[in-house]
Amino acid sequence: MIDREIAVQIVEEQLARDYEADRALRPESMLLAVAGVKEHELVWIVSWTSEEYLRTRNPDFMLAGNGPYLVDRLESAVRDLLSGLRSLDGVTVGHLHRSGVRDSLG
């Protein structure tokens, strides 16, 4: 079973990879950081935003359209949740997880 700290570490590693890939295209890329974690019976729901926003709370640095990552609590697989999907209740997350939709997310 994957605990909270491991889930955060997994997402932080993914965010670092995303940053490096983006920086190769745009030198002005923002550093990204974990903003929060919610526990679900099947996954950890890990939200993220820019490091600058978390540090300053200045809305100019707030990201829009960034959906959370789901970290499977059994397999440690990480998936990017569809950014347009805003419902994170147990039914929605459980449905995505059990229906196999999660496999097409990442």
Side-chain angles (χ1 to χ4, degrees), residues 15-26:
L15 292 174
R17 286 189 296 273
D18 293 346
Y19 170 75
E20 289 301 323
D22 192 47
R23 199 172 80 158
L25 301 173
R26 299 181 302 151

Side-chain angles (χ1 to χ4, degrees), residues 78-96:
V78 63
R79 303 287 186 253
D80 183 8
L81 190 60
L82 300 169
S83 59
L85 185 61
R86 290 291 170 225
S87 178
L88 293 179
D89 60 30
V91 174
T92 301
V93 172
H95 173 73
L96 284 173

Side-chain angles (χ1 to χ4, degrees), residues 15 22 24 33 35 39 44 56 59 61 63-64 77 93:
L15 292 174
D22 192 47
E39 185 176 8
W44 290 101
T56 66
F61 298 108
L63 301 179
V93 172

Side-chain angles (χ1 to χ4, degrees), residues 1 8 16 20 25 27 29 36 39-40 46 50-52 54-55 64 69 94 99:
M1 184 74 78
V8 168
E20 289 301 323
L25 301 173
S29 297
E39 185 176 8
H40 181 273
V46 184
S50 75
E51 190 175 85
E52 187 74 9
L54 290 175
R55 188 175 58 74
Y69 282 98
S99 69

Side-chain angles (χ1 to χ4, degrees), residues 1-14 34 36-39 43-46 71-73 76:
M1 184 74 78
I2 301 301
D3 66 19
R4 179 186 182 101
E5 291 77 26
I6 297 297
V8 168
Q9 179 182 354
I10 289 169
V11 172
E12 287 174 339
E13 290 169 359
Q14 181 63 50
V34 170
V37 182
K38 292 182 184 179
E39 185 176 8
V43 296
W44 290 101
I45 304 166
V46 184
V71 179
D72 189 302
R73 294 185 66 186
S76 76

